[in-house]
Amino acid sequence: MNTQETIDMFDKYVIANYARLPRVIVKGEGCYMYDADGNKILDMFPGWAVSAIGHCHPKVVEALRKQAGELLHIDNTFYSEPQGQLAKLLSERAFGGKCFFCNSGAEANEAALKLARLHTPSEKYKFITAEGSFHGRTLATMTATAQPKHHEGLLPLLPGFVYVPFNDVTALEAAFSDEVAAVMVEPIQGEGGINIAAKEYLQAIRRLCDESGAVMILDEVQTGIGRTGKWFGYQHFDVEPDIMTMAKALGGGVAIGAMMAKEEVAASLVPGKHASTFGGNALACAAAVAVIEAIEEGNLLEHAAELGQYTKDKLEQLRQKHFIIESVRGVGLMIGVQLTSPGTEIVDKCLEKGLRINCTQSTVLRFMPPMIATKEQIDQAVDILDAVLTESSK
Ligand SMILES: *Cc1c(COP(=O)(O)O)cnc(C)c1O
């Protein structure tokens, strides 16, 4: 089937809720993807931050093959080894909490919000979230997402959500009350434009939650699993959440989400209160176990930290040259290039030249290279962006 035939099939049978580029991707390998017309594309935003250790990592593929030959899925009426193993690996690399598994970031956040309500007294029903946040597309997580554009046509929202400006301690204090069940934020806002939390901000959330008996939730769906050069984003900020959620990079390309909660909080999630049919299935968990092992065997955390600095330096050099770049910010391999004008066309032109990056909030280019990328690949990516910016300024 050629590109046009595939597109025609989509037009006829797939709901058009995505603005798709006219390319059919047929293969992914490491830092590259290939389209049906034979183009090779350097992927600096692999799978929307999902394929963080590259496309089709051999360890993940091997683990999937092996697991598929033994057991794909068994319901949570029973125990299965991969799920327990994954929970252990995650717990040991975070704050020692217990895990609940599901299939996506939104679902992990739903679980976190429900657990916060279940763990706190019934008069606590409010959730504080930050402007510019992104927490998912289900009704509760969309309501938690404090961006009006995501609410259009869907009012009224769920009650109980209070929005505060990100990184504003005074506003946070003012919004707090005994009715607050939880505060949920991303340590680094992703879709919101790579906005990094101030250490004092996260620590203020911790203090206010402790004082009032509320639950601190960190949404690590995008920052988790090594992206920032540490296992989890919060580990840069000298603070520990009560609940943390993850998804995207966790399965190496296989759908999986997880919520981790401190043991005393986790104890409030008893049988009957929450569940997910596919959650913790053997195949997805085996993939995630392989992801964690691959990160460790390849020393990819250290590499992500170092390569992230290298990438930022290179982009910073571009800033000296192109006035359209206002600033470069990020932690590890989660990098945003703030432009002074819209960047969608730049992203499209980069793709024409064989580079995939992303643009969010209309003026922030997102670079989220795979953790296995080399300096040469970063150089290549930055050179392409350089060429596109030079052409566009003419
Ligand atoms: C992508 C994302 C989500 C939603 O994850 P889905 O798997 O699309 O449901 C939630 N929070 C953050 C921070 C994200 O980046």
Side-chain angles (χ1 to χ4, degrees):
M1 197 173 278
N2 67 29
T3 296
Q4 195 52 51
E5 285 163 351
T6 305
I7 292 173
D8 290 346
M9 191 164 59
F10 268 63
D11 285 347
K12 194 151 182 216
Y13 298 111
V14 179
I15 292 178
N17 64 314
Y18 299 99
R20 294 180 201 269
L21 296 164
R23 301 221 184 199
V24 178
I25 304 302
V26 291
K27 182 181 158 73
E29 189 176 32
C31 298
Y32 297 95
M33 57 180 176
Y34 301 82
D35 70 19
D37 298 313
N39 296 301
K40 179 179 180 180
I41 300 154
L42 179 60
D43 199 352
M44 293 287 139
F45 197 65
W48 211 269
V50 163
S51 308
I53 59 170
H55 289 284
C56 298
H57 192 287
K59 263 200 80 95
V60 175
V61 172
E62 185 196 307
L64 284 167
R65 286 212 170 97
K66 183 162 176 287
Q67 188 60 48
E70 288 166 13
L71 178 69
L72 287 174
H73 171 84
I74 187 64
D75 52 275
N76 284 297
T77 312
F78 300 98
Y79 295 91
S80 59
E81 203 177 302
Q83 184 176 154
Q85 224 177 1
L86 176 59
K88 176 172 188 284
L89 291 175
L90 289 172
S91 179
E92 289 168 352
R93 280 149 192 79
F95 48 84
K98 289 184 162 182
C99 295
F100 162 82
F101 293 104
C102 50
N103 313 287
S104 68
E107 230 189 306
N109 286 334
E110 284 277 347
L113 294 169
K114 278 180 72 176
L115 176 53
R117 288 288 311 274
L118 290 168
H119 183 66
T120 52
S122 59
E123 64 272 18
K124 289 190 184 296
Y125 70 98
K126 289 187 176 170
F127 296 109
I128 297 180
T129 63
E131 288 169 10
S133 59
F134 185 82
H135 298 297
R137 302 289 198 158
T138 62
L139 274 170
T141 60
M142 176 200 79
T143 304
T145 296
Q147 295 189 59
K149 72 173 183 200
H150 290 298
H151 302 158
E152 271 166 30
L154 292 158
L155 303 177
L157 304 175
L158 284 190
F161 284 81
V162 178
Y163 307 138
V164 293
F166 189 55
N167 267 341
D168 184 335
V169 175
T170 313
L172 180 71
E173 282 170 342
F176 238 90
S177 72
D178 287 339
E179 294 176 325
V180 173
V183 179
M184 177 160 78
V185 296
E186 298 147 84
I188 302 165
Q189 291 185 337
E191 195 262 0
I194 316 292
N195 307 315
I196 306 165
K199 197 183 255 193
E200 306 77 59
Y201 184 62
L202 293 185
Q203 291 177 348
I205 295 176
R206 181 68 278 168
R207 173 175 54 80
L208 289 161
C209 286
D210 286 343
E211 284 169 8
S212 74
V215 173
M216 177 173 179
I217 304 171
L218 287 182
D219 178 343
E220 295 254 12
V221 168
Q222 194 163 145
T223 48
I225 320 297
R227 172 54 62 192
T228 67
K230 292 185 188 284
W231 280 112
F232 299 100
Y234 79 85
Q235 292 165 336
H236 292 275
F237 299 91
D238 282 332
V239 70
E240 254 179 36
D242 300 303
I243 302 178
M244 159 174 91
T245 57
M246 58 202 111
K248 292 202 168 85
L250 179 57
V254 175
I256 182 170
M259 168 187 74
M260 185 187 295
K262 283 187 179 159
E263 192 161 0
E264 65 271 23
V265 178
S268 298
L269 207 57
V270 296
K273 286 298 182 194
H274 196 59
S276 170
T277 298
F278 289 108
N281 78 83
L283 192 73
C285 288
V289 166
V291 167
I292 292 172
E293 289 172 356
I295 289 173
E296 260 158 25
E297 284 168 19
N299 276 325
L300 296 184
L301 294 181
E302 292 80 352
H303 183 64
E306 193 196 311
L307 193 70
Q309 191 55 52
Y310 181 81
T311 310
K312 268 203 293 187
D313 290 346
K314 293 287 284 189
L315 290 167
E316 191 60 41
Q317 286 166 20
L318 273 199
R319 188 177 70 87
Q320 315 287 334
K321 198 169 153 189
H322 298 287
F323 291 126
I324 191 177
I325 301 182
E326 188 176 294
S327 60
V328 178
R329 55 179 180 259
V331 181
L333 289 172
M334 187 166 176
I335 300 169
V337 177
Q338 177 70 58
L339 304 176
T340 54
S341 54
T344 317
E345 222 172 280
I346 292 168
V347 168
D348 291 348
K349 285 182 180 160
C350 284
L351 188 62
E352 289 293 300
K353 292 186 189 296
L355 168 68
R356 184 196 196 196
I357 52 174
N358 166 261
C359 179
T360 187
Q361 300 293 324
S362 83
T363 57
V364 182
L365 301 180
R366 251 192 304 186
F367 267 76
M368 296 190 61
M371 294 164 73
I372 55 160
T374 62
K375 286 182 177 165
E376 290 70 33
Q377 284 161 337
I378 298 295
D379 291 348
Q380 201 189 338
V382 174
D383 285 349
I384 292 174
L385 178 61
D386 189 7
V388 167
L389 293 179
T390 302
E391 278 171 26
S392 310
S393 68
K394 274 179 190 147

